[in-house]
Amino acid sequence: MVITLAPTPNSTDTYQVDYISPETGLSSSTANNWIGDNAEVVLLAACLYEASAFLKAPETLALYKTQFDEAVGLFVQEMQRDYAAEYNGGI
């Protein structure tokens, strides 16, 4: 990967680069990934939603969309929890 900065910075400046790499795809050598290991419910809901859209099943599309939105919302809440504060607070 190449990162180009313009204009060229001087040597006294400090920079921080945050980078999120794309999720690795599944293959015969890669049997799992982060989403499958940590967000199983979200992955299942996404698969059901996409499958119902692909199969053109409008009667289930709204149901699976709702389940997907709920799964994502719960996962976001879980990721935002401050476990250290809960531990220190005796929860």
Side-chain angles (χ1 to χ4, degrees), residues 60-77:
T60 60
L61 192 61
L63 170 70
Y64 291 137
K65 172 68 170 138
T66 302
Q67 288 179 353
F68 173 73
D69 291 340
E70 289 173 0
V72 169
L74 290 172
F75 188 72
V76 167
Q77 286 177 0

Side-chain angles (χ1 to χ4, degrees), residues 23-72:
E23 187 66 43
T24 57
L26 300 177
S27 66
S28 60
S29 62
T30 309
N32 57 349
N33 58 20
W34 188 90
I35 294 172
D37 292 341
N38 299 290
E40 305 92 1
V41 175
V42 174
L43 182 59
L44 174 62
C47 290
L48 291 171
Y49 176 55
E50 285 297 315
S52 65
F54 176 77
L55 295 173
K56 297 180 181 172
E59 63 277 359
T60 60
L61 192 61
L63 170 70
Y64 291 137
K65 172 68 170 138
T66 302
Q67 288 179 353
F68 173 73
D69 291 340
E70 289 173 0
V72 169

